[in-house]
Amino acid sequence: MARRSRRKHVVPAADAQMSAFKAEVMRREGYVVNPSRPDDVKYEVAKSLGIPLEHGYNGQLSTESAGQIGGQIGGAMVKELIRMAQEKLANEGRQ
């Protein structure tokens, strides 16, 4: 049985925007992303890392392997958020 994520955004309406943000960031990182299914980019990331992630149950994966996949995606998103914040701060300083 596949485990479903229980994470919820503080603002429920942010789900769609976060998915779109993930898709855009990972597209910029060079991955093929289907905008209507941005969570599927994890399979592209796993493939590029040589990790055998499949649809459905993946109980054979180590925690380290799963973390590499999520870390690649989350790390790229965090870097972009930091870049955006720095840009905003720099623009506010010019005003």
Side-chain angles (χ1 to χ4, degrees):
M1 172 169 76
R3 186 172 159 211
R4 300 231 182 235
S5 176
R6 292 186 200 126
R7 294 182 185 179
K8 295 185 182 195
H9 294 104
V10 175
V11 179
D15 287 341
Q17 287 84 3
M18 287 303 293
S19 290
F21 178 68
K22 179 194 292 186
E24 178 59 23
V25 168
M26 296 313 289
R27 186 191 60 75
R28 287 187 203 158
E29 290 287 315
Y31 293 98
V32 176
V33 181
N34 179 347
S36 65
R37 297 185 57 115
D39 287 336
D40 284 355
V41 75
K42 64 186 169 192
Y43 301 105
E44 290 282 327
V45 172
K47 184 177 177 182
S48 73
L49 294 172
I51 298 171
L53 182 68
E54 299 177 11
H55 292 276
Y57 182 71
N58 284 283
Q60 79 285 359
L61 286 184
S62 67
T63 303
E64 181 180 357
S65 293
Q68 286 177 325
I69 298 165
Q72 188 90 6
I73 296 168
M77 291 174 70
V78 169
K79 284 178 192 174
E80 179 61 15
L81 288 169
I82 291 170
R83 187 202 63 74
M84 290 167 64
Q86 288 174 332
E87 186 178 293
K88 183 177 179 181
L89 288 171
N91 288 339
E92 287 176 0
R94 292 184 213 154
Q95 294 176 356

